[in-house]
Amino acid sequence: MLAVAEVNYIRYEVNQKGESYASVSRKTGIDARTVKKYANQEDFEVKKPQCRKAPVMDPVKPILDEWLNEDSKKKRKYRRTAKRLFQQLVEDHDFKGSERSVRQYVSKRKKELKTMVDQAALPLESIPGTAQVDFGTAPFVYQSESMELPYLVMSFPFSNTFYFQVFPSENAECLLEGLQRMFHHMGGVPRTIRFDNFRPAVKKILGKGERKLTDVFERFVGHYGFHYEFCNPGKGNEKGHVEAMVKYVRNNFLLPECHIEDLDQFNETLWQKAEDDRDRSHYKKDAPIDTLYQEDCAQWLLLPEKSFDCVRYEVVKADKYGFITVDKKQYSSSPRFAGDKLTVAITYNSVIVLNEQHEAVVHHSRLYGVRRKSMVWQPYLDLLSRRPRAIKYTSIYDHFPEEWTRYLKACTEDEQKEALRLLGTLLKNDDFTLLNQALNDVSAQGHPSVDQIKHRFYSLVNNQEDYSTYTPQMSLPDMPDITRGLEHYDALYAKEGVEHE
C-alpha cells in the first residue's frame, strides 16, 4: 500500500497536470497499473475486515465459551481438554465439524481470556466476584461480662453486600475460620480478595509490593485457590469499601451491645441479617442489590471437595506439674507428661493436647481475656486417688458438681480413693451428666457405695429401665445416726471438757 504523500502526487500529476500514467510511472518507479488505480480511486475509507462465516462452528461457539468460563473456576487439573470439549459437542449437540476446528477455537479463546485477566486494571469495585476483608470491634456483653470483641467482615464491592462473624480474637485461627465459614455458606470463593497487612496473614512486607506470607495462610490460599491482594502500608483507603462496611455493620447490627452466651449460636443468626439487608437498591447503579449479588456469585470459584483444617500445631514442653503454655495461657495435660515435649493442636476455640500417636489426650476450651489457666482434672484423678489427703490442697472441688463435692466430703479415706479412681475411669471431657444422674439415683436411700454408683452408671449407659430403689420387706430396728467423713476423728481423742495433747 502506497503512502499518502505518494498517492497525492500521483493524483496531482495525472488529474491536475494531465500527465499520462506511463509518464508518472517512469517518474515514480511505480507500476503504471497502480498509478492508474490511485489516480482514479474515489473511495478512500478504511475497508472493514471481512468476517468469514463458519456455519459449522458459529452455532457452538457460545457453548464452548460457557464451558471455558465454567472451567476457569476450577483447579487446572479439573479443566477439560480441547479433545474432551470436542467429544462433548459430538455427544450432546450432534456436532459435525472437525476436532481441529474445535482445538483452534479453544486455543484462541484461552489466549484471549488470559490476556483479559493479565491486562485487567479495573478497581475491585467494578469487578463482580471480588471481595475485601477487614476486622472491626464492637461492645458486647459476653457470658455476663462487658467487653469488646472483634468481628470479621467480608464485603463485595460490586454488589455492595457483605457477610460478618464475631470472634474472640483477631488471630490467624479466627481469621481463617471466619473466611472458611463464609466460603461454605456462600457456596463459592471470590476470585480476588484484598486484605490489610494482617499479622495472621503477612509475616513480612518486602519490596515492590511483595509479601512473605505466614505458613498457615499460604496453605489456606493454596487450598481455596483465590488470588490475594494486600494494601500498601498505611493505605487503608485501598480497601475503602470494606472499611465503610465495617462501620455500617456496627451501626446497624451490633449497637447497642448484643448479649451473647454461646458465640457459635449467635454467629448462626448473622447470616440471615446480612441477607435481609440486600432488599434495597444499589446507591449508584439503580439496580436491586440482590440482583447484583447474583452476578458476584456467578463469578466465584468452586469450593474444593474438602474443607481446610484451620488448626495450628505447636510443640511445647510440660512443666513438672504437667502444665503447658500456649500464647501465655496455661493448660493442664497429665502428671505422666511432666517434663515431656508435647504436640498441641490449636484452633480458634480449642487447645487439644496430643500424645505420641497424635491422639487427643486432653481437650480444653481456648482461653481469651484475663483468665490465664485451664484445668481438666480427669488425668489427675488417679494420682489423687493414691493421695486423697492432698485433695484439700487442690481446687478440685471448684471443678466438681455440687453433688459430687458433697459426696466426696462425706466419704471415708478409703471411699475417697475408690470414688476418685471411678471418676478417673468414667469421666470423659469433664462431662458429669450421666455420673450426676447415677449418683443422685443411688443416693435416695442414703450414702451410696462406689459399686452402687458404678452399677447405676452402666445401667444408664445401656439405656436400662428407670432406677427404682430396693425397699426391704422386713422391719429393721432403729439405728442411731452416724456422722460420715473425717471431721469427727478428733472426738475419739478428747472427752467433753478435757483437752488432749
Side-chain angles (χ1 to χ4, degrees), residues 361-425:
V361 177
V362 183
H363 190 289
H364 292 270
S365 294
R366 188 169 178 179
L367 299 178
Y368 292 100
V370 297
R371 190 178 167 203
R372 303 188 61 83
K373 194 171 185 178
S374 176
M375 181 72 187
V376 174
W377 278 101
Q378 183 187 5
Y380 292 80
L381 292 175
D382 183 63
L383 177 63
L384 281 172
S385 71
R386 297 194 296 270
R387 301 171 58 192
R389 293 183 182 179
I391 198 170
K392 63 183 178 182
Y393 301 112
T394 72
S395 61
I396 189 170
Y397 287 141
D398 297 335
H399 299 267
F400 278 1
E402 184 179 348
E403 47 264 69
W404 277 96
T405 298
R406 286 198 307 267
Y407 176 72
L408 288 170
K409 287 183 176 179
C411 285
T412 64
E413 185 172 324
D414 287 339
E415 286 176 331
Q416 280 189 352
K417 290 180 180 180
E418 292 181 29
L420 290 170
R421 278 197 293 266
L422 179 70
L423 288 174
T425 303

Side-chain angles (χ1 to χ4, degrees), residues 320-358:
K320 64 180 181 180
Y321 302 107
F323 275 81
I324 59 171
T325 301
V326 175
D327 296 334
K328 299 181 180 180
K329 309 285 188 180
Q330 286 191 303
Y331 300 87
S332 64
S333 62
S334 171
R336 63 191 177 95
F337 294 140
D340 292 348
K341 288 186 177 180
L342 300 171
T343 300
V344 184
I346 305 162
T347 71
Y348 84 99
N349 65 350
S350 66
V351 173
I352 305 168
V353 181
L354 308 176
N355 61 16
E356 292 180 352
Q357 290 73 40
H358 277 249

Side-chain angles (χ1 to χ4, degrees), residues 2-10:
L2 298 181
V4 174
E6 292 176 310
V7 172
N8 289 337
Y9 177 78
I10 290 172

